[in-house]
Amino acid sequence: MAQIILASGSRIRAELLAGAGLDFEIVKSDVDETALKDAALTRGAPIAETALALAQAKARKVSAAFPGALVIGADQIL
């Protein structure tokens, strides 16, 4: 089974995965979220698209360091 990595420091997301019985690691991506949000705002991107872009950026950055792992990126904008 592939290694599972949560590319987020969110306690709630970690609790959800643990509650589902998954064995996973947490690796924070250190993506510059402010820059990505500002760029999305500048081009008028919908909120959902912005959250998806943030999640993808986190997952891609962590995936580069852990080839072969299943990396989960997630984000929300309130």
Side-chain angles (χ1 to χ4, degrees), residues 4-69:
I4 300 173
I5 298 174
L6 175 60
S8 170
S10 168
R11 180 183 54 84
I12 298 299
R13 288 185 186 91
E15 287 176 3
L16 288 170
L17 292 178
L22 296 174
D23 182 26
F24 64 97
E25 293 179 49
I26 295 172
V27 178
K28 293 183 184 180
S29 66
D30 296 325
V31 165
D32 185 351
E33 294 185 40
T34 301
L36 287 171
K37 287 179 190 176
D38 288 348
L41 180 63
T42 298
R43 70 176 188 281
I47 298 293
E49 183 181 306
T50 303
L52 179 60
L54 287 164
Q56 289 174 333
K58 292 175 184 180
R60 285 185 180 127
K61 188 164 185 182
V62 172
S63 290
F66 294 89

